[in-house]
């Protein structure tokens, strides 16, 4: 399956945040978790890059807190 065809899913964190993510590629190895820039969301990834990465490994891209389809408020610090 290609990145643009993968359904966006959500998972509830213990902090009450509902995280939006897309996961693709073969399972079984430790997943490659992709971190986007500060206000970047799932739509900012290059689909061809994600497809190439996911050809040989499990890939998870997600929207961070308060960004895109993830709930909550974007933190003002990294603390």
């Amino acid at each position: 399956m290609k990145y643009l065809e993968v359904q966006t899913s959500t998972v509830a964190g213990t902090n009450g945040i509902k995280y939006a993510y897309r996961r693709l590629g073969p399972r079984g190895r430790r997943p490659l978790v992709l971190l986007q820039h500060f206000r970047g969301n799932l739509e900012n990834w290059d689909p061809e890059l994600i497809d190439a990465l996911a050809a040989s490994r499990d890939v998870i891209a997600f929207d961070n807190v308060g960004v895109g389809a993830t709930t909550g408020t974007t933190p003002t610090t990294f603390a």
Side-chain angles (χ1 to χ4, degrees):
M1 184 168 283
K2 303 288 186 181
Y3 183 70
L4 293 178
E5 299 169 351
V6 174
Q7 183 82 18
T8 300
S9 300
T10 59
V11 63
T14 58
N15 57 1
I17 302 293
K18 188 195 263 185
Y19 292 90
Y21 70 96
R22 291 184 191 152
R23 186 174 190 171
L24 67 157
R27 308 282 170 95
R29 292 177 43 190
R30 184 175 296 153
L32 175 63
V33 178
L34 303 177
L35 303 175
Q36 188 54 269
H37 60 285
F38 180 63
R39 295 291 296 170
N41 61 40
L42 290 171
E43 307 311 322
N44 292 116
W45 288 106
D46 178 351
E48 290 186 24
L49 170 64
I50 305 302
D51 293 344
L53 293 171
S56 61
R57 65 178 308 141
D58 187 8
V59 175
I60 301 171
F62 72 101
D63 285 343
N64 214 340
V65 178
V67 177
T70 294
T71 63
T73 303
T74 305
T76 57
T77 70
F78 285 98

